[in-house]
Amino acid sequence: MLGRPAMISQRPLSPKPKAIDDCYLTVADATCEQPPGIFSRISWFVETLKLHEILRTILFKLYNHGGLEAFEATGHQTNSRNGPDIQSIAQIDAELQAFKENLPKLLDWDWKAHQITGKVL
């Protein structure tokens, strides 16, 4: 990864969207919210953006060959000659575990929805 950093290495300039369906976004309300108990159809997209951030961390900490340019983009340095350190790997593992633990139930691949409702959602 010499020269300019890849597009995935650039931090997004805007915040992640909230998981609110279009039908609940109104100009009349100062703040819009998804009603409790109604699963948002864009939750998958929001969770994908979170995974994208973890992927950016993985690329910088484990596969960083961008030198100073990469250091300036991320604010931390990796030692690409000796490979990734165990602390970086442990941090990434913790981020992935936290991601999985905070997934909405309907997106959790281990959650058995049919055991609770009696049918597959």
Side-chain angles (χ1 to χ4, degrees):
M1 183 175 176
L2 298 174
R4 298 196 74 203
M7 182 174 270
I8 195 164
S9 66
Q10 298 172 0
R11 291 188 181 279
L13 299 177
S14 58
K16 284 187 290 301
K18 292 184 179 181
I20 303 171
D21 291 332
D22 291 350
C23 59
Y24 302 112
L25 299 175
T26 61
V27 178
D29 294 329
T31 59
C32 300
E33 294 185 16
Q34 183 80 6
I38 298 177
F39 186 72
S40 172
R41 292 175 285 175
I42 68 162
S43 291
W44 178 86
F45 174 69
V46 173
E47 297 304 318
T48 300
L49 293 175
K50 292 176 186 177
L51 275 178
H52 187 270
E53 290 177 3
I54 295 172
L55 177 59
R56 185 175 0 94
T57 301
I58 291 169
L59 292 175
F60 275 119
K61 291 194 174 204
L62 304 183
Y63 302 103
N64 178 20
H65 299 289
L68 179 61
E69 211 170 30
F71 175 76
E72 290 173 350
T74 61
H76 43 20
Q77 184 176 6
T78 61
N79 187 351
S80 59
R81 279 186 235 148
N82 297 330
D85 61 294
I86 193 70
Q87 184 178 4
S88 295
I89 294 171
Q91 178 190 358
I92 291 167
D93 184 57
E95 287 179 34
L96 287 168
Q97 282 299 114
F99 170 81
K100 183 168 181 343
E101 290 170 6
N102 292 310
L103 270 176
K105 291 289 183 211
L106 292 175
L107 295 178
D108 187 346
W109 53 91
D110 288 335
W111 188 64
K112 306 289 188 229
H114 64 278
Q115 290 178 351
I116 293 173
T117 63
K119 59 183 176 181
V120 176
L121 298 174

mmCIF file with all atom_site columns, all heavy atoms in Angstrom, residues 89-113:
data_model
loop_
_atom_site.group_PDB
_atom_site.id
_atom_site.type_symbol
_atom_site.label_atom_id
_atom_site.label_alt_id
_atom_site.label_comp_id
_atom_site.label_asym_id
_atom_site.label_entity_id
_atom_site.label_seq_id
_atom_site.pdbx_PDB_ins_code
_atom_site.Cartn_x
_atom_site.Cartn_y
_atom_site.Cartn_z
_atom_site.occupancy
_atom_site.B_iso_or_equiv
_atom_site.pdbx_formal_charge
_atom_site.auth_seq_id
_atom_site.auth_comp_id
_atom_site.auth_asym_id
_atom_site.auth_atom_id
_atom_site.pdbx_PDB_model_num
ATOM 1   N N   . ILE A 1 89  ? -4.012  -7.489  18.129 1.00 0.00 ? 89  ILE A N   1
ATOM 2   C CA  . ILE A 1 89  ? -4.900  -8.613  17.811 1.00 0.00 ? 89  ILE A CA  1
ATOM 3   C C   . ILE A 1 89  ? -5.963  -8.774  18.898 1.00 0.00 ? 89  ILE A C   1
ATOM 4   O O   . ILE A 1 89  ? -7.140  -8.970  18.598 1.00 0.00 ? 89  ILE A O   1
ATOM 5   C CB  . ILE A 1 89  ? -4.083  -9.903  17.612 1.00 0.00 ? 89  ILE A CB  1
ATOM 6   C CG1 . ILE A 1 89  ? -3.205  -9.755  16.363 1.00 0.00 ? 89  ILE A CG1 1
ATOM 7   C CG2 . ILE A 1 89  ? -5.000  -11.114 17.503 1.00 0.00 ? 89  ILE A CG2 1
ATOM 8   C CD1 . ILE A 1 89  ? -2.199  -10.848 16.175 1.00 0.00 ? 89  ILE A CD1 1
ATOM 9   N N   . ALA A 1 90  ? -5.554  -8.641  20.152 1.00 0.00 ? 90  ALA A N   1
ATOM 10  C CA  . ALA A 1 90  ? -6.508  -8.752  21.256 1.00 0.00 ? 90  ALA A CA  1
ATOM 11  C C   . ALA A 1 90  ? -7.537  -7.623  21.204 1.00 0.00 ? 90  ALA A C   1
ATOM 12  O O   . ALA A 1 90  ? -8.725  -7.842  21.462 1.00 0.00 ? 90  ALA A O   1
ATOM 13  C CB  . ALA A 1 90  ? -5.769  -8.736  22.590 1.00 0.00 ? 90  ALA A CB  1
ATOM 14  N N   . GLN A 1 91  ? -7.089  -6.410  20.850 1.00 0.00 ? 91  GLN A N   1
ATOM 15  C CA  . GLN A 1 91  ? -8.010  -5.279  20.743 1.00 0.00 ? 91  GLN A CA  1
ATOM 16  C C   . GLN A 1 91  ? -9.025  -5.513  19.622 1.00 0.00 ? 91  GLN A C   1
ATOM 17  O O   . GLN A 1 91  ? -10.220 -5.267  19.798 1.00 0.00 ? 91  GLN A O   1
ATOM 18  C CB  . GLN A 1 91  ? -7.252  -3.981  20.498 1.00 0.00 ? 91  GLN A CB  1
ATOM 19  C CG  . GLN A 1 91  ? -8.169  -2.788  20.336 1.00 0.00 ? 91  GLN A CG  1
ATOM 20  C CD  . GLN A 1 91  ? -7.450  -1.541  19.859 1.00 0.00 ? 91  GLN A CD  1
ATOM 21  O OE1 . GLN A 1 91  ? -6.249  -1.529  19.676 1.00 0.00 ? 91  GLN A OE1 1
ATOM 22  N NE2 . GLN A 1 91  ? -8.218  -0.487  19.644 1.00 0.00 ? 91  GLN A NE2 1
ATOM 23  N N   . ILE A 1 92  ? -8.565  -5.998  18.494 1.00 0.00 ? 92  ILE A N   1
ATOM 24  C CA  . ILE A 1 92  ? -9.472  -6.266  17.367 1.00 0.00 ? 92  ILE A CA  1
ATOM 25  C C   . ILE A 1 92  ? -10.464 -7.359  17.744 1.00 0.00 ? 92  ILE A C   1
ATOM 26  O O   . ILE A 1 92  ? -11.658 -7.267  17.445 1.00 0.00 ? 92  ILE A O   1
ATOM 27  C CB  . ILE A 1 92  ? -8.666  -6.633  16.106 1.00 0.00 ? 92  ILE A CB  1
ATOM 28  C CG1 . ILE A 1 92  ? -7.911  -5.401  15.595 1.00 0.00 ? 92  ILE A CG1 1
ATOM 29  C CG2 . ILE A 1 92  ? -9.571  -7.203  15.025 1.00 0.00 ? 92  ILE A CG2 1
ATOM 30  C CD1 . ILE A 1 92  ? -6.850  -5.707  14.564 1.00 0.00 ? 92  ILE A CD1 1
ATOM 31  N N   . ASP A 1 93  ? -9.988  -8.393  18.415 1.00 0.00 ? 93  ASP A N   1
ATOM 32  C CA  . ASP A 1 93  ? -10.879 -9.463  18.864 1.00 0.00 ? 93  ASP A CA  1
ATOM 33  C C   . ASP A 1 93  ? -11.948 -8.916  19.804 1.00 0.00 ? 93  ASP A C   1
ATOM 34  O O   . ASP A 1 93  ? -13.128 -9.267  19.683 1.00 0.00 ? 93  ASP A O   1
ATOM 35  C CB  . ASP A 1 93  ? -10.074 -10.570 19.545 1.00 0.00 ? 93  ASP A CB  1
ATOM 36  C CG  . ASP A 1 93  ? -10.953 -11.740 19.937 1.00 0.00 ? 93  ASP A CG  1
ATOM 37  O OD1 . ASP A 1 93  ? -11.613 -12.316 19.050 1.00 0.00 ? 93  ASP A OD1 1
ATOM 38  O OD2 . ASP A 1 93  ? -10.991 -12.064 21.149 1.00 0.00 ? 93  ASP A OD2 1
ATOM 39  N N   . ALA A 1 94  ? -11.557 -8.027  20.716 1.00 0.00 ? 94  ALA A N   1
ATOM 40  C CA  . ALA A 1 94  ? -12.517 -7.427  21.644 1.00 0.00 ? 94  ALA A CA  1
ATOM 41  C C   . ALA A 1 94  ? -13.538 -6.572  20.895 1.00 0.00 ? 94  ALA A C   1
ATOM 42  O O   . ALA A 1 94  ? -14.731 -6.590  21.227 1.00 0.00 ? 94  ALA A O   1
ATOM 43  C CB  . ALA A 1 94  ? -11.781 -6.590  22.690 1.00 0.00 ? 94  ALA A CB  1
ATOM 44  N N   . GLU A 1 95  ? -13.085 -5.832  19.875 1.00 0.00 ? 95  GLU A N   1
ATOM 45  C CA  . GLU A 1 95  ? -14.006 -5.020  19.074 1.00 0.00 ? 95  GLU A CA  1
ATOM 46  C C   . GLU A 1 95  ? -15.015 -5.899  18.343 1.00 0.00 ? 95  GLU A C   1
ATOM 47  O O   . GLU A 1 95  ? -16.203 -5.576  18.273 1.00 0.00 ? 95  GLU A O   1
ATOM 48  C CB  . GLU A 1 95  ? -13.235 -4.163  18.070 1.00 0.00 ? 95  GLU A CB  1
ATOM 49  C CG  . GLU A 1 95  ? -12.492 -3.005  18.693 1.00 0.00 ? 95  GLU A CG  1
ATOM 50  C CD  . GLU A 1 95  ? -11.730 -2.188  17.666 1.00 0.00 ? 95  GLU A CD  1
ATOM 51  O OE1 . GLU A 1 95  ? -12.213 -2.048  16.520 1.00 0.00 ? 95  GLU A OE1 1
ATOM 52  O OE2 . GLU A 1 95  ? -10.651 -1.685  18.015 1.00 0.00 ? 95  GLU A OE2 1
ATOM 53  N N   . LEU A 1 96  ? -14.546 -7.023  17.792 1.00 0.00 ? 96  LEU A N   1
ATOM 54  C CA  . LEU A 1 96  ? -15.455 -7.940  17.092 1.00 0.00 ? 96  LEU A CA  1
ATOM 55  C C   . LEU A 1 96  ? -16.447 -8.577  18.056 1.00 0.00 ? 96  LEU A C   1
ATOM 56  O O   . LEU A 1 96  ? -17.623 -8.744  17.729 1.00 0.00 ? 96  LEU A O   1
ATOM 57  C CB  . LEU A 1 96  ? -14.657 -9.005  16.342 1.00 0.00 ? 96  LEU A CB  1
ATOM 58  C CG  . LEU A 1 96  ? -13.932 -8.508  15.094 1.00 0.00 ? 96  LEU A CG  1
ATOM 59  C CD1 . LEU A 1 96  ? -12.940 -9.555  14.600 1.00 0.00 ? 96  LEU A CD1 1
ATOM 60  C CD2 . LEU A 1 96  ? -14.926 -8.139  14.004 1.00 0.00 ? 96  LEU A CD2 1
ATOM 61  N N   . GLN A 1 97  ? -15.983 -8.944  19.250 1.00 0.00 ? 97  GLN A N   1
ATOM 62  C CA  . GLN A 1 97  ? -16.882 -9.524  20.258 1.00 0.00 ? 97  GLN A CA  1
ATOM 63  C C   . GLN A 1 97  ? -17.941 -8.512  20.668 1.00 0.00 ? 97  GLN A C   1
ATOM 64  O O   . GLN A 1 97  ? -19.117 -8.844  20.787 1.00 0.00 ? 97  GLN A O   1
ATOM 65  C CB  . GLN A 1 97  ? -16.099 -10.000 21.482 1.00 0.00 ? 97  GLN A CB  1
ATOM 66  C CG  . GLN A 1 97  ? -15.389 -11.313 21.288 1.00 0.00 ? 97  GLN A CG  1
ATOM 67  C CD  . GLN A 1 97  ? -16.351 -12.433 20.975 1.00 0.00 ? 97  GLN A CD  1
ATOM 68  O OE1 . GLN A 1 97  ? -16.316 -12.973 19.883 1.00 0.00 ? 97  GLN A OE1 1
ATOM 69  N NE2 . GLN A 1 97  ? -17.216 -12.795 21.888 1.00 0.00 ? 97  GLN A NE2 1
ATOM 70  N N   . ALA A 1 98  ? -17.522 -7.254  20.904 1.00 0.00 ? 98  ALA A N   1
ATOM 71  C CA  . ALA A 1 98  ? -18.472 -6.200  21.287 1.00 0.00 ? 98  ALA A CA  1
ATOM 72  C C   . ALA A 1 98  ? -19.480 -5.960  20.171 1.00 0.00 ? 98  ALA A C   1
ATOM 73  O O   . ALA A 1 98  ? -20.677 -5.766  20.437 1.00 0.00 ? 98  ALA A O   1
ATOM 74  C CB  . ALA A 1 98  ? -17.727 -4.918  21.630 1.00 0.00 ? 98  ALA A CB  1
ATOM 75  N N   . PHE A 1 99  ? -19.010 -5.994  18.926 1.00 0.00 ? 99  PHE A N   1
ATOM 76  C CA  . PHE A 1 99  ? -19.916 -5.828  17.789 1.00 0.00 ? 99  PHE A CA  1
ATOM 77  C C   . PHE A 1 99  ? -20.990 -6.906  17.814 1.00 0.00 ? 99  PHE A C   1
ATOM 78  O O   . PHE A 1 99  ? -22.184 -6.632  17.710 1.00 0.00 ? 99  PHE A O   1
ATOM 79  C CB  . PHE A 1 99  ? -19.139 -5.876  16.468 1.00 0.00 ? 99  PHE A CB  1
ATOM 80  C CG  . PHE A 1 99  ? -20.024 -5.952  15.262 1.00 0.00 ? 99  PHE A CG  1
ATOM 81  C CD1 . PHE A 1 99  ? -20.619 -4.808  14.760 1.00 0.00 ? 99  PHE A CD1 1
ATOM 82  C CD2 . PHE A 1 99  ? -20.295 -7.169  14.644 1.00 0.00 ? 99  PHE A CD2 1
ATOM 83  C CE1 . PHE A 1 99  ? -21.472 -4.870  13.662 1.00 0.00 ? 99  PHE A CE1 1
ATOM 84  C CE2 . PHE A 1 99  ? -21.126 -7.236  13.548 1.00 0.00 ? 99  PHE A CE2 1
ATOM 85  C CZ  . PHE A 1 99  ? -21.714 -6.086  13.056 1.00 0.00 ? 99  PHE A CZ  1
ATOM 86  N N   . LYS A 1 100 ? -20.572 -8.162  17.969 1.00 0.00 ? 100 LYS A N   1
ATOM 87  C CA  . LYS A 1 100 ? -21.521 -9.278  17.963 1.00 0.00 ? 100 LYS A CA  1
ATOM 88  C C   . LYS A 1 100 ? -22.491 -9.194  19.133 1.00 0.00 ? 100 LYS A C   1
ATOM 89  O O   . LYS A 1 100 ? -23.686 -9.429  18.973 1.00 0.00 ? 100 LYS A O   1
ATOM 90  C CB  . LYS A 1 100 ? -20.788 -10.609 17.992 1.00 0.00 ? 100 LYS A CB  1
ATOM 91  C CG  . LYS A 1 100 ? -21.762 -11.783 17.902 1.00 0.00 ? 100 LYS A CG  1
ATOM 92  C CD  . LYS A 1 100 ? -21.073 -13.064 17.656 1.00 0.00 ? 100 LYS A CD  1
ATOM 93  C CE  . LYS A 1 100 ? -21.987 -14.243 17.524 1.00 0.00 ? 100 LYS A CE  1
ATOM 94  N NZ  . LYS A 1 100 ? -23.327 -14.144 17.995 1.00 0.00 ? 100 LYS A NZ  1
ATOM 95  N N   . GLU A 1 101 ? -21.995 -8.824  20.309 1.00 0.00 ? 101 GLU A N   1
ATOM 96  C CA  . GLU A 1 101 ? -22.855 -8.735  21.494 1.00 0.00 ? 101 GLU A CA  1
ATOM 97  C C   . GLU A 1 101 ? -23.892 -7.627  21.375 1.00 0.00 ? 101 GLU A C   1
ATOM 98  O O   . GLU A 1 101 ? -24.952 -7.712  21.986 1.00 0.00 ? 101 GLU A O   1
ATOM 99  C CB  . GLU A 1 101 ? -21.997 -8.522  22.744 1.00 0.00 ? 101 GLU A CB  1
ATOM 100 C CG  . GLU A 1 101 ? -21.188 -9.742  23.126 1.00 0.00 ? 101 GLU A CG  1
ATOM 101 C CD  . GLU A 1 101 ? -20.172 -9.458  24.219 1.00 0.00 ? 101 GLU A CD  1
ATOM 102 O OE1 . GLU A 1 101 ? -20.161 -8.328  24.767 1.00 0.00 ? 101 GLU A OE1 1
ATOM 103 O OE2 . GLU A 1 101 ? -19.378 -10.362 24.521 1.00 0.00 ? 101 GLU A OE2 1
ATOM 104 N N   . ASN A 1 102 ? -23.603 -6.594  20.597 1.00 0.00 ? 102 ASN A N   1
ATOM 105 C CA  . ASN A 1 102 ? -24.511 -5.460  20.476 1.00 0.00 ? 102 ASN A CA  1
ATOM 106 C C   . ASN A 1 102 ? -25.369 -5.494  19.215 1.00 0.00 ? 102 ASN A C   1
ATOM 107 O O   . ASN A 1 102 ? -26.088 -4.533  18.937 1.00 0.00 ? 102 ASN A O   1
ATOM 108 C CB  . ASN A 1 102 ? -23.716 -4.145  20.535 1.00 0.00 ? 102 ASN A CB  1
ATOM 109 C CG  . ASN A 1 102 ? -23.117 -3.931  21.900 1.00 0.00 ? 102 ASN A CG  1
ATOM 110 O OD1 . ASN A 1 102 ? -23.794 -4.037  22.911 1.00 0.00 ? 102 ASN A OD1 1
ATOM 111 N ND2 . ASN A 1 102 ? -21.838 -3.648  21.948 1.00 0.00 ? 102 ASN A ND2 1
ATOM 112 N N   . LEU A 1 103 ? -25.297 -6.572  18.464 1.00 0.00 ? 103 LEU A N   1
ATOM 113 C CA  . LEU A 1 103 ? -26.134 -6.697  17.267 1.00 0.00 ? 103 LEU A CA  1
ATOM 114 C C   . LEU A 1 103 ? -27.602 -6.766  17.656 1.00 0.00 ? 103 LEU A C   1
ATOM 115 O O   . LEU A 1 103 ? -27.952 -7.393  18.657 1.00 0.00 ? 103 LEU A O   1
ATOM 116 C CB  . LEU A 1 103 ? -25.795 -7.988  16.516 1.00 0.00 ? 103 LEU A CB  1
ATOM 117 C CG  . LEU A 1 103 ? -24.732 -7.931  15.455 1.00 0.00 ? 103 LEU A CG  1
ATOM 118 C CD1 . LEU A 1 103 ? -24.472 -9.327  14.915 1.00 0.00 ? 103 LEU A CD1 1
ATOM 119 C CD2 . LEU A 1 103 ? -25.096 -6.995  14.339 1.00 0.00 ? 103 LEU A CD2 1
ATOM 120 N N   . PRO A 1 104 ? -28.470 -6.158  16.859 1.00 0.00 ? 104 PRO A N   1
ATOM 121 C CA  . PRO A 1 104 ? -29.900 -6.378  17.097 1.00 0.00 ? 104 PRO A CA  1
ATOM 122 C C   . PRO A 1 104 ? -30.199 -7.876  16.960 1.00 0.00 ? 104 PRO A C   1
ATOM 123 O O   . PRO A 1 104 ? -29.604 -8.563  16.133 1.00 0.00 ? 104 PRO A O   1
ATOM 124 C CB  . PRO A 1 104 ? -30.569 -5.579  15.959 1.00 0.00 ? 104 PRO A CB  1
ATOM 125 C CG  . PRO A 1 104 ? -29.560 -4.578  15.537 1.00 0.00 ? 104 PRO A CG  1
ATOM 126 C CD  . PRO A 1 104 ? -28.230 -5.216  15.764 1.00 0.00 ? 104 PRO A CD  1
ATOM 127 N N   . LYS A 1 105 ? -31.109 -8.376  17.778 1.00 0.00 ? 105 LYS A N   1
ATOM 128 C CA  . LYS A 1 105 ? -31.395 -9.821  17.800 1.00 0.00 ? 105 LYS A CA  1
ATOM 129 C C   . LYS A 1 105 ? -31.721 -10.383 16.420 1.00 0.00 ? 105 LYS A C   1
ATOM 130 O O   . LYS A 1 105 ? -31.314 -11.481 16.076 1.00 0.00 ? 105 LYS A O   1
ATOM 131 C CB  . LYS A 1 105 ? -32.546 -10.129 18.756 1.00 0.00 ? 105 LYS A CB  1
ATOM 132 C CG  . LYS A 1 105 ? -32.196 -9.920  20.194 1.00 0.00 ? 105 LYS A CG  1
ATOM 133 C CD  . LYS A 1 105 ? -31.245 -10.974 20.684 1.00 0.00 ? 105 LYS A CD  1
ATOM 134 C CE  . LYS A 1 105 ? -30.970 -10.791 22.151 1.00 0.00 ? 105 LYS A CE  1
ATOM 135 N NZ  . LYS A 1 105 ? -29.653 -11.208 22.534 1.00 0.00 ? 105 LYS A NZ  1
ATOM 136 N N   . LEU A 1 106 ? -32.441 -9.640  15.610 1.00 0.00 ? 106 LEU A N   1
ATOM 137 C CA  . LEU A 1 106 ? -32.832 -10.154 14.295 1.00 0.00 ? 106 LEU A CA  1
ATOM 138 C C   . LEU A 1 106 ? -31.661 -10.247 13.321 1.00 0.00 ? 106 LEU A C   1
ATOM 139 O O   . LEU A 1 106 ? -31.766 -10.889 12.279 1.00 0.00 ? 106 LEU A O   1
ATOM 140 C CB  . LEU A 1 106 ? -33.948 -9.303  13.688 1.00 0.00 ? 106 LEU A CB  1
ATOM 141 C CG  . LEU A 1 106 ? -35.284 -9.403  14.422 1.00 0.00 ? 106 LEU A CG  1
ATOM 142 C CD1 . LEU A 1 106 ? -36.290 -8.445  13.832 1.00 0.00 ? 106 LEU A CD1 1
ATOM 143 C CD2 . LEU A 1 106 ? -35.810 -10.826 14.388 1.00 0.00 ? 106 LEU A CD2 1
ATOM 144 N N   . LEU A 1 107 ? -30.530 -9.626  13.633 1.00 0.00 ? 107 LEU A N   1
ATOM 145 C CA  . LEU A 1 107 ? -29.340 -9.724  12.788 1.00 0.00 ? 107 LEU A CA  1
ATOM 146 C C   . LEU A 1 107 ? -28.288 -10.669 13.365 1.00 0.00 ? 107 LEU A C   1
ATOM 147 O O   . LEU A 1 107 ? -27.304 -10.976 12.708 1.00 0.00 ? 107 LEU A O   1
ATOM 148 C CB  . LEU A 1 107 ? -28.710 -8.333  12.593 1.00 0.00 ? 107 LEU A CB  1
ATOM 149 C CG  . LEU A 1 107 ? -29.549 -7.326  11.828 1.00 0.00 ? 107 LEU A CG  1
ATOM 150 C CD1 . LEU A 1 107 ? -28.824 -5.993  11.758 1.00 0.00 ? 107 LEU A CD1 1
ATOM 151 C CD2 . LEU A 1 107 ? -29.879 -7.822  10.431 1.00 0.00 ? 107 LEU A CD2 1
ATOM 152 N N   . ASP A 1 108 ? -28.500 -11.138 14.578 1.00 0.00 ? 108 ASP A N   1
ATOM 153 C CA  . ASP A 1 108 ? -27.540 -12.035 15.234 1.00 0.00 ? 108 ASP A CA  1
ATOM 154 C C   . ASP A 1 108 ? -27.670 -13.437 14.652 1.00 0.00 ? 108 ASP A C   1
ATOM 155 O O   . ASP A 1 108 ? -28.716 -14.061 14.740 1.00 0.00 ? 108 ASP A O   1
ATOM 156 C CB  . ASP A 1 108 ? -27.799 -12.055 16.737 1.00 0.00 ? 108 ASP A CB  1
ATOM 157 C CG  . ASP A 1 108 ? -26.738 -12.819 17.507 1.00 0.00 ? 108 ASP A CG  1
ATOM 158 O OD1 . ASP A 1 108 ? -25.936 -13.560 16.893 1.00 0.00 ? 108 ASP A OD1 1
ATOM 159 O OD2 . ASP A 1 108 ? -26.711 -12.685 18.742 1.00 0.00 ? 108 ASP A OD2 1
ATOM 160 N N   . TRP A 1 109 ? -26.598 -13.919 14.038 1.00 0.00 ? 109 TRP A N   1
ATOM 161 C CA  . TRP A 1 109 ? -26.651 -15.215 13.353 1.00 0.00 ? 109 TRP A CA  1
ATOM 162 C C   . TRP A 1 109 ? -26.760 -16.393 14.314 1.00 0.00 ? 109 TRP A C   1
ATOM 163 O O   . TRP A 1 109 ? -27.088 -17.485 13.890 1.00 0.00 ? 109 TRP A O   1
ATOM 164 C CB  . TRP A 1 109 ? -25.444 -15.389 12.434 1.00 0.00 ? 109 TRP A CB  1
ATOM 165 C CG  . TRP A 1 109 ? -24.124 -15.184 13.104 1.00 0.00 ? 109 TRP A CG  1
ATOM 166 C CD1 . TRP A 1 109 ? -23.343 -16.117 13.711 1.00 0.00 ? 109 TRP A CD1 1
ATOM 167 C CD2 . TRP A 1 109 ? -23.413 -13.958 13.233 1.00 0.00 ? 109 TRP A CD2 1
ATOM 168 N NE1 . TRP A 1 109 ? -22.202 -15.549 14.218 1.00 0.00 ? 109 TRP A NE1 1
ATOM 169 C CE2 . TRP A 1 109 ? -22.215 -14.218 13.930 1.00 0.00 ? 109 TRP A CE2 1
ATOM 170 C CE3 . TRP A 1 109 ? -23.672 -12.642 12.834 1.00 0.00 ? 109 TRP A CE3 1
ATOM 171 C CZ2 . TRP A 1 109 ? -21.288 -13.234 14.232 1.00 0.00 ? 109 TRP A CZ2 1
ATOM 172 C CZ3 . TRP A 1 109 ? -22.739 -11.672 13.129 1.00 0.00 ? 109 TRP A CZ3 1
ATOM 173 C CH2 . TRP A 1 109 ? -21.563 -11.965 13.820 1.00 0.00 ? 109 TRP A CH2 1
ATOM 174 N N   . ASP A 1 110 ? -26.529 -16.199 15.612 1.00 0.00 ? 110 ASP A N   1
ATOM 175 C CA  . ASP A 1 110 ? -26.673 -17.278 16.589 1.00 0.00 ? 110 ASP A CA  1
ATOM 176 C C   . ASP A 1 110 ? -28.027 -17.258 17.295 1.00 0.00 ? 110 ASP A C   1
ATOM 177 O O   . ASP A 1 110 ? -28.387 -18.207 17.979 1.00 0.00 ? 110 ASP A O   1
ATOM 178 C CB  . ASP A 1 110 ? -25.571 -17.192 17.649 1.00 0.00 ? 110 ASP A CB  1
ATOM 179 C CG  . ASP A 1 110 ? -24.222 -17.601 17.091 1.00 0.00 ? 110 ASP A CG  1
ATOM 180 O OD1 . ASP A 1 110 ? -24.183 -18.359 16.103 1.00 0.00 ? 110 ASP A OD1 1
ATOM 181 O OD2 . ASP A 1 110 ? -23.201 -17.147 17.640 1.00 0.00 ? 110 ASP A OD2 1
ATOM 182 N N   . TRP A 1 111 ? -28.766 -16.193 17.152 1.00 0.00 ? 111 TRP A N   1
ATOM 183 C CA  . TRP A 1 111 ? -30.041 -16.057 17.848 1.00 0.00 ? 111 TRP A CA  1
ATOM 184 C C   . TRP A 1 111 ? -31.089 -16.903 17.162 1.00 0.00 ? 111 TRP A C   1
ATOM 185 O O   . TRP A 1 111 ? -31.255 -16.853 15.950 1.00 0.00 ? 111 TRP A O   1
ATOM 186 C CB  . TRP A 1 111 ? -30.459 -14.596 17.888 1.00 0.00 ? 111 TRP A CB  1
ATOM 187 C CG  . TRP A 1 111 ? -31.655 -14.333 18.727 1.00 0.00 ? 111 TRP A CG  1
ATOM 188 C CD1 . TRP A 1 111 ? -31.772 -14.503 20.074 1.00 0.00 ? 111 TRP A CD1 1
ATOM 189 C CD2 . TRP A 1 111 ? -32.914 -13.825 18.283 1.00 0.00 ? 111 TRP A CD2 1
ATOM 190 N NE1 . TRP A 1 111 ? -33.013 -14.133 20.494 1.00 0.00 ? 111 TRP A NE1 1
ATOM 191 C CE2 . TRP A 1 111 ? -33.742 -13.716 19.413 1.00 0.00 ? 111 TRP A CE2 1
ATOM 192 C CE3 . TRP A 1 111 ? -33.412 -13.465 17.043 1.00 0.00 ? 111 TRP A CE3 1
ATOM 193 C CZ2 . TRP A 1 111 ? -35.053 -13.256 19.342 1.00 0.00 ? 111 TRP A CZ2 1
ATOM 194 C CZ3 . TRP A 1 111 ? -34.713 -13.005 16.973 1.00 0.00 ? 111 TRP A CZ3 1
ATOM 195 C CH2 . TRP A 1 111 ? -35.523 -12.899 18.106 1.00 0.00 ? 111 TRP A CH2 1
ATOM 196 N N   . LYS A 1 112 ? -31.802 -17.670 17.928 1.00 0.00 ? 112 LYS A N   1
ATOM 197 C CA  . LYS A 1 112 ? -32.830 -18.556 17.379 1.00 0.00 ? 112 LYS A CA  1
ATOM 198 C C   . LYS A 1 112 ? -34.202 -17.914 17.568 1.00 0.00 ? 112 LYS A C   1
ATOM 199 O O   . LYS A 1 112 ? -34.890 -18.139 18.548 1.00 0.00 ? 112 LYS A O   1
ATOM 200 C CB  . LYS A 1 112 ? -32.797 -19.925 18.069 1.00 0.00 ? 112 LYS A CB  1
ATOM 201 C CG  . LYS A 1 112 ? -31.440 -20.587 18.051 1.00 0.00 ? 112 LYS A CG  1
ATOM 202 C CD  . LYS A 1 112 ? -31.095 -21.063 16.663 1.00 0.00 ? 112 LYS A CD  1
ATOM 203 C CE  . LYS A 1 112 ? -29.834 -21.892 16.706 1.00 0.00 ? 112 LYS A CE  1
ATOM 204 N NZ  . LYS A 1 112 ? -28.849 -21.563 15.765 1.00 0.00 ? 112 LYS A NZ  1
ATOM 205 N N   . ALA A 1 113 ? -34.597 -17.095 16.605 1.00 0.00 ? 113 ALA A N   1
ATOM 206 C CA  . ALA A 1 113 ? -35.876 -16.372 16.706 1.00 0.00 ? 113 ALA A CA  1
ATOM 207 C C   . ALA A 1 113 ? -37.056 -17.328 16.782 1.00 0.00 ? 113 ALA A C   1
ATOM 208 O O   . ALA A 1 113 ? -38.015 -17.086 17.488 1.00 0.00 ? 113 ALA A O   1
ATOM 209 C CB  . ALA A 1 113 ? -36.033 -15.441 15.514 1.00 0.00 ? 113 ALA A CB  1
#
